Amino acid sequence: MKLRNLESINLQGKTILYRAPYDIELREVAGVLEVSDDMRIKFTLPTLKYLLKENCKIIILTYVGRPDGKVVEELRTTPHARRLAELLGYPVQKVDDCIGADVEKKISEMHPGEILMLENVRFHSEEMVDDDEFSRQLCKGKDFVVFDGFPQAHRMHASTTGIERHLPSVAGLYLKQEVEMLSTLLDNPKHPFTVIIGGAKISDKVDAVNNLLRRADTILVGGAVSNVFLKSEGREISESFIEDVFVDKMRREKKDWVLYAGDITKRAQSLGKKIIFPQDLIVSDGVSIKTVDIASEGVPAGWKALDIGPKTQKNFSDIISQSQTVFINGPMGKFEDEKFVEGSKSVLEAMKNVKGETIIAGGDTIDLARKYGNLDNYTHISLAGGATLEFLAGKELPALKALQ
């Protein structure tokens, strides 16, 4: 996918509405609210430095959390502005709304080369419904949208698709990097190409798995997602978690993910591709922990699978080490408990030795990689969760349409 980026147009001296990906949780430290993770801010610094070099007025727009159209003190963007100023080494002003006379006056008084952080756009209920008049007000007094909100690009909100209807829009450097790397996975991955899928839910990954089947050579399945596939193969998983989702609450219709997993396996076989499930699992009854061979004995009654076992760890690691491209989304077990983190660690360790491309996606996976290693060991870190999976599923992300 080719995007119109900020380097392709003249932004000198322009007033920029910068759509940032700063939906970052806050934590209280010594009575002061701070961003819990500044990675998304760090990834936007190249774009902001470019705009400063172009002597732009930079107006930063983002949402934080789910305040549902109300002002929630704990979800203000003040900590984001403070941390951005620290990382950028440059002053960042803050205003307590994102539209209105006070905001317009503040912007009109700005000088080229100054930065202003707007208040959380989700304090207005019009944001979530992509209200057109609200979108127009967000764009008042600005010349261009520079869109770096890739984690929100699958949303049809006033601060995504709405602002793009009212101003010419270009992609920022962070968004461009995300799209280029993920496009490579779909269009021209180096082979062997291995996809690793973990985590708890199959529902938000199934479309991406289906689309990647035609491109990947092997798909390794771990975490609770593997329970669904194992059950579809007739394995006993006892009390292990299996997602069961209503896809239509009004009609009370269920999506049987076990049947669906079986269909995916059959489709993979017809394409000559491999979907590899765990051979053994680390299981617990809440008191004891042991390893079981899933083929010969399954998960005992009253026990649940919480990690992939040693045989599976070695098998997955061997496949990964022979790959030229590896993409991972989701942990291999209940990583919050250190007794069940070895599977995830083994997979990430194997990825460090890959000589080709290694891509990590999803908050849990990134947290794991950072806690047990160095993120610099991987080629690309995709900060988006849902947007990354929808992109890899081949779906059109609404906010990218105006940037093409």
Side-chain angles (χ1 to χ4, degrees), residues 57-61 91-95 103 106-107 110 114-118:
K57 291 184 184 180
I58 305 169
I59 319 300
I60 300 178
L61 177 66
V92 177
Q93 303 174 63
K94 167 72 193 335
V95 65
V103 175
K106 187 81 171 174
I107 293 172
M110 289 174 67
E114 291 187 339
I115 303 175
L116 176 67
M117 176 79 74
L118 299 178

Side-chain angles (χ1 to χ4, degrees), residues 239-255:
E239 302 301 313
S240 305
F241 175 79
I242 284 192
E243 183 185 20
D244 186 12
V245 177
F246 283 105
V247 293
D248 189 333
K249 292 183 180 180
M250 295 298 293
R251 296 179 184 177
R252 305 293 289 175
E253 290 178 352
K254 286 184 180 179
K255 185 78 170 183

Side-chain angles (χ1 to χ4, degrees), residues 205-244:
K205 301 178 176 77
V206 67
D207 290 337
V209 170
N210 264 323
N211 198 42
L212 289 169
L213 268 179
R214 293 184 287 118
R215 296 159 172 86
D217 299 288
T218 306
I219 294 180
L220 308 178
V221 185
V225 173
S226 68
N227 297 334
V228 182
F229 283 91
L230 289 168
K231 189 167 184 178
S232 76
E233 296 282 295
R235 308 303 183 194
E236 177 56 58
I237 60 166
S238 190
E239 302 301 313
S240 305
F241 175 79
I242 284 192
E243 183 185 20
D244 186 12

Side-chain angles (χ1 to χ4, degrees), residues 12-299:
Q12 183 69 35
K14 301 296 184 183
T15 300
I16 303 299
L17 182 58
Y18 178 65
R19 185 33 168 110
Y22 298 163
D23 183 16
I24 308 167
E25 292 181 0
L26 301 173
R27 64 183 177 189
E28 189 173 314
V29 179
V32 178
L33 285 174
E34 297 180 353
V35 294
S36 59
D37 184 353
D38 60 14
M39 184 177 293
R40 287 189 178 185
I41 298 177
K42 288 177 178 176
F43 274 46
T44 64
L45 296 182
T47 301
L48 293 170
K49 288 177 180 177
Y50 181 93
L51 295 174
L52 288 172
K53 183 172 65 72
E54 293 295 299
N55 209 29
C56 296
K57 291 184 184 180
I58 305 169
I59 319 300
I60 300 178
L61 177 66
T62 190
Y63 62 64
V64 182
R66 296 183 179 274
D68 297 325
K70 302 184 184 79
V71 175
V72 178
E73 292 299 321
E74 294 78 15
L75 294 178
R76 289 193 179 275
T77 58
T78 308
H80 304 72
R82 184 169 58 246
R83 185 57 182 149
L84 172 60
E86 292 168 355
L87 291 170
L88 195 58
Y90 199 87
V92 177
Q93 303 174 63
K94 167 72 193 335
V95 65
D96 290 335
D97 208 337
C98 56
I99 60 168
D102 289 345
V103 175
E104 291 169 28
K105 182 174 183 292
K106 187 81 171 174
I107 293 172
S108 69
E109 293 172 348
M110 289 174 67
H111 296 97
E114 291 187 339
I115 303 175
L116 176 67
M117 176 79 74
L118 299 178
E119 190 52 270
N120 188 346
V121 70
R122 279 190 173 173
F123 286 178
H124 294 264
S125 59
E126 297 92 335
E127 154 69 357
M128 300 288 283
V129 295
D130 194 6
D131 182 84
D132 199 58
E133 174 57 25
F134 181 65
S135 303
R136 187 187 67 77
Q137 290 183 55
L138 288 172
C139 293
K140 250 180 133 177
K142 291 89 172 178
D143 300 312
F144 286 93
V145 168
V146 172
F147 197 94
D148 249 352
F150 182 73
Q152 296 81 37
H154 59 315
R155 308 287 189 193
M156 293 181 69
H157 290 168
S159 70
T160 56
T161 49
I163 57 176
E164 293 175 331
R165 289 195 299 272
H166 294 277
L167 286 176
S169 306
V170 296
L173 298 176
Y174 156 63
L175 184 138
K176 178 186 173 187
Q177 182 187 41
E178 285 270 25
V179 170
E180 286 179 350
M181 177 53 71
L182 296 176
S183 294
T184 299
L185 294 184
L186 295 179
D187 300 333
N188 191 31
K190 295 178 181 177
H191 293 274
F193 174 21
T194 299
V195 173
I196 310 164
I197 298 293
K201 294 183 177 181
I202 186 175
S203 57
D204 55 3
K205 301 178 176 77
V206 67
D207 290 337
V209 170
N210 264 323
N211 198 42
L212 289 169
L213 268 179
R214 293 184 287 118
R215 296 159 172 86
D217 299 288
T218 306
I219 294 180
L220 308 178
V221 185
V225 173
S226 68
N227 297 334
V228 182
F229 283 91
L230 289 168
K231 189 167 184 178
S232 76
E233 296 282 295
R235 308 303 183 194
E236 177 56 58
I237 60 166
S238 190
E239 302 301 313
S240 305
F241 175 79
I242 284 192
E243 183 185 20
D244 186 12
V245 177
F246 283 105
V247 293
D248 189 333
K249 292 183 180 180
M250 295 298 293
R251 296 179 184 177
R252 305 293 289 175
E253 290 178 352
K254 286 184 180 179
K255 185 78 170 183
D256 191 328
W257 292 116
V258 175
L259 288 176
Y260 204 93
D263 291 340
I264 294 174
T265 304
K266 289 174 186 174
R267 183 165 174 259
Q269 291 170 347
S270 70
L271 292 169
K273 305 300 174 96
K274 295 178 181 177
I275 296 185
I276 299 179
F277 320 128
Q279 302 164 268
D280 57 343
L281 297 167
I282 308 295
V283 301
S284 175
D285 62 356
V287 179
S288 303
I289 298 171
K290 66 179 180 179
T291 302
V292 298
D293 187 297
I294 191 64
S296 62
E297 56 183 311
V299 179

